[in-house]
Amino acid sequence: MTSLTDRRILLGVAGGIAAYKTADLVRRLRERGAEIRVVMTPGAQEFVSPLTFQALSGKPVHTDLLDTAAEAAMGHIELAKWAQLLLIAPVSANLLAKLAIGFADNLLTTLCLASEAPLVLAPAMNQAMWQHAATQANVQTLQQRGAQILGPASGSQACGDVGPGRMLEPNLLIERIATLFTPQTEVGQLTGKHIAITAGPTREPLDPVRYLSNYSSGKMGFALAAAAHHAGAEVTLIAGPVDLPTPRGVKRIDVLNALEMHAAAKQAADHCDLFIAAAAVADFRPQQISSQKIKKSEGNIEGTLRLIKNPDIVAAIAKRNHKRPFTVGFAAETEKLIKHAREKLSRKKLDMIIANDISDPDNGFNSDYNQVVVIDHEGEYSMSAALKSELAAALLEKIVARAFK
Ligand code: C5P
């Protein structure tokens, strides 16, 4: 299950060279479980044949407003009511102008007027056409009416120009569309709340060039931070060494090893209402850090490497008597998921634990997907496998419902 499963998306295609990318978009949307009906403008058919979209969508492609056979199969009003989302990719400068005015001169413009579904537009055009005051005014009009504009991206264009006007890549469009269908903690719901989140691995140095670490990507913690900010919270993200951009509006504190993460977490926990430990903290660190690179000739390192335990950061915060935030941990397990997670919930004195099975290489560690079970002292709630970015919003809703009930 993904947030796109069984979603009914009416995909409009306007004339433009970017229409070839829309073929891939249809394939990917269907892979994620969405039902797609394609509507092409006359201009679009000059670039890609309706047969291509018919094969990829598995449904007849709609092209004419006044086609009696098509109207008998699924009339345009029926099609407008069927849609849960109207997505037009690419949308041309010409179509933006028609939509801004409210034309109903072909099937696609008519459907846009007849449907009450949200309208999402992915523009693609020459950079000068995009930047023209007329186009920008049309975009503004459409946005004021509630349309969402995704892109365009900047870069080199088919016509040889460089600048804004490239249609967003299908994978980016899909992420943005998926979030539209994801239950979100309401914007503003967490205003006034401070949330601290640890994310990523820690790196425990052995010498100036070597360290002990793990495969954690940090994606889950970063996605939670973005979702919490979206809901209005003040977010501090304590990040181990990861290659991820800082989510917009989030205060990021970069740390390298467990001791640094612990120090930053203690400080953040003093001022937060909710502490979420999504980091994969290294359990041990080398007892001694060699100031020089350890030489292979210095003997058998297997026999000489001594490790000491790192502090358990989340447990230290959960065991506080004063300044104790609602405390949530994660349990990544390869076997006996629920049993081991419950044991951690009580041993670390957490309020809630998010258990995920990392024996499946498609989910969990270093993957874009995750499947989790939320466990607290009152029960368990199993969540469907989803992209971490989508899961984060749904997961945050569950956490917040308990933390701030
Ligand atoms: O014991 P285990 O490492 O499986 O527990 C996982 C949970 O504890 C995660 O929430 C992780 O962020 C947290 N943890 C921690 N400090 C450690 C080890 C784990 O905060 N030293």
Side-chain angles (χ1 to χ4, degrees), residues 155-178:
S156 59
Q157 305 201 289
C159 54
D161 279 9
V162 177
R166 289 167 57 94
M167 187 171 94
L168 286 191
E169 292 304 319
N171 58 342
L172 286 177
L173 284 176
I174 290 191
E175 293 323 318
R176 303 282 293 274
I177 295 156

Side-chain angles (χ1 to χ4, degrees), residues 70-399:
E71 279 295 298
M74 194 183 208
H76 66 274
I77 297 297
E78 206 181 330
L79 196 54
K81 289 197 169 130
W82 171 88
Q84 292 177 309
L85 181 83
L86 294 180
L87 167 66
I88 308 184
V91 62
S92 59
N94 185 43
L95 185 54
L96 281 175
K98 288 186 184 185
L99 294 176
I101 293 173
F103 266 39
D105 64 335
N106 64 35
L107 180 60
L108 186 53
T109 50
T110 305
L111 286 168
C112 288
L113 280 187
S115 177
E116 287 172 14
L119 179 62
V120 177
L121 304 166
M125 65 196 72
N126 166 269
Q127 54 83 23
M129 291 171 80
W130 169 253
Q131 292 180 91
H132 196 284
T135 304
Q136 289 303 309
N138 291 332
V139 166
Q140 215 178 10
T141 303
L142 290 162
Q143 279 174 321
Q144 277 163 359
R145 273 189 224 137
Q148 288 227 25
I149 312 286
L150 304 184
S154 275
S156 59
Q157 305 201 289
C159 54
D161 279 9
V162 177
R166 289 167 57 94
M167 187 171 94
L168 286 191
E169 292 304 319
N171 58 342
L172 286 177
L173 284 176
I174 290 191
E175 293 323 318
R176 303 282 293 274
I177 295 156
T179 56
L180 296 176
F181 287 115
T182 306
Q184 306 268 335
T185 313
E186 269 174 54
V187 176
Q189 190 183 331
L190 297 180
T191 303
K193 300 288 184 204
H194 189 159
I195 302 182
I197 301 172
T198 66
T202 63
R203 219 177 247 184
E204 309 300 331
L206 264 167
D207 68 17
V209 295
R210 303 185 181 95
Y211 56 82
L212 301 176
S213 191
N214 57 63
Y215 291 115
S216 167
S217 65
K219 286 178 186 158
M220 195 66 235
F222 273 60
L224 279 167
H229 169 72
H230 178 81
E234 195 184 319
V235 184
T236 303
L237 177 61
I238 302 162
V242 292
D243 187 18
L244 292 174
T246 309
R248 200 163 50 88
V250 165
K251 179 180 164 197
R252 173 176 182 165
I253 300 174
D254 283 311
V255 297
L256 215 53
N257 57 42
L259 293 181
E260 284 178 20
M261 186 174 275
H262 192 200
K266 276 197 288 196
Q267 233 180 28
D270 283 348
H271 309 285
C272 74
D273 309 287
L274 170 61
F275 181 82
I276 305 176
V281 184
D283 289 316
F284 300 97
R285 66 178 184 276
Q287 189 173 35
Q288 277 187 342
I289 304 171
S290 170
S291 59
Q292 301 299 327
K293 183 177 170 191
I294 300 168
K295 291 279 174 225
K296 285 194 272 286
S297 57
E298 275 172 20
N300 180 4
I301 193 149
E302 282 169 42
T304 58
L305 183 59
R306 295 186 84 85
L307 299 173
I308 50 172
K309 230 169 175 235
N310 270 327
D312 191 317
I313 300 169
V314 76
I317 288 165
K319 285 173 188 165
R320 283 180 174 191
N321 293 320
H322 296 294
K323 293 190 178 170
R324 182 191 183 280
F326 188 90
T327 309
V328 181
F330 274 74
E333 307 292 341
T334 53
E335 54 165 1
K336 297 185 185 147
L337 179 67
I338 305 295
K339 181 172 176 283
H340 286 158
R342 279 211 169 278
E343 184 274 317
K344 275 178 199 171
L345 178 73
S346 66
R347 175 165 49 85
K348 299 189 185 212
K349 300 205 181 327
L350 306 176
D351 297 302
M352 184 182 259
I353 195 152
I354 317 297
N356 66 317
D357 182 350
I358 52 165
S359 62
D360 176 356
D362 287 341
N363 283 319
F365 255 48
N366 210 15
S367 157
D368 285 337
Y369 286 82
N370 208 356
Q371 177 166 24
V372 300
V373 183
V374 178
I375 305 171
D376 65 11
H377 299 286
E378 287 167 37
E380 289 166 24
Y381 180 83
S382 196
M383 302 186 70
S384 313
L387 270 177
K388 285 179 178 172
S389 52
E390 294 175 19
L391 180 71
L395 191 53
L396 186 71
E397 253 205 327
K398 285 268 161 294
I399 296 172

